[in-house]
Amino acid sequence: MEHDDAMAVREDDRGFVVLTWAPGLDIDGELADAAVTLVDDLNGERKRPLLVVMTGTRTLSRDARLVFTRPCQVSRLALLGRSRVDSIIANFALGVASHPMPMRFFVDETDAVSWLLGTADPPSVFRWWTSGDGRRSSR
């Protein structure tokens, strides 16, 4: 797969970078390295927050997880997903190694951006597992 088909990287007007992975993607070490390089090139000498849209990612290889533990030009990283599978992948990636920046998983983009910009504490990661009245959701 060409890197252009696998991901898109852009600057957001609010001062952070957005990396969007293509749905259904198996992220290996080569793709992870390409993503880190694109983000580092965009950030230059300054570290900025990064929003990673990972909705629908199928797998994250061991090599990819190792790439994501290297220092880079990112000050904090918010992983944005929608499903339980996204959550499992993110929590596995977050929990198996130390990372050079604060990282959190979110299911709501507004919450993720607020945390990236330092304007709010993150809500509970698993709040979408239950409905507003505390019953388990059907998702």
Side-chain angles (χ1 to χ4, degrees):
M1 173 179 276
E2 291 292 321
H3 295 162
D4 291 345
D5 296 335
M7 72 188 99
V9 177
R10 66 175 177 82
E11 291 179 279
D12 187 277
D13 294 340
R14 294 169 284 183
F16 57 90
V17 175
V18 180
L19 165 64
T20 304
W21 292 108
L25 192 63
D26 296 306
I27 302 171
D28 61 15
E30 181 183 336
L31 281 175
D33 189 59
V36 170
T37 298
L38 285 170
V39 170
D40 282 351
D41 288 349
L42 189 60
N43 284 339
E45 294 299 314
R46 67 183 185 263
K47 288 189 176 195
R48 290 192 288 179
L50 175 65
L51 176 65
V52 177
V53 181
M54 57 170 288
T55 302
T57 298
R58 279 192 345 174
T59 63
L60 184 66
S61 76
R62 180 180 185 279
D63 289 341
R65 290 191 307 274
L66 290 173
V67 168
F68 294 140
T69 63
R70 296 190 317 226
C72 60
Q73 293 303 98
V74 173
S75 58
R76 59 180 25 201
L77 191 147
L79 297 167
L80 179 63
R82 298 275 183 243
S83 71
R84 288 185 177 103
V85 173
D86 296 338
S87 173
I88 290 166
I89 291 170
N91 284 309
F92 183 68
L94 293 171
V96 296
S98 67
H99 297 277
M101 80 287 289
M103 295 174 67
R104 297 269 167 86
F105 175 77
F106 297 86
V107 296
D108 181 83
E109 185 172 353
T110 301
D111 292 340
V113 170
S114 293
W115 180 77
L116 280 178
L117 298 178
T119 59
D121 290 329
S124 171
V125 170
F126 296 108
R127 72 184 179 113
W128 54 271
W129 282 43
T130 59
S131 61
D133 61 5
R135 290 180 294 144
R136 190 167 179 94
S137 71
S138 60
R139 272 195 209 180

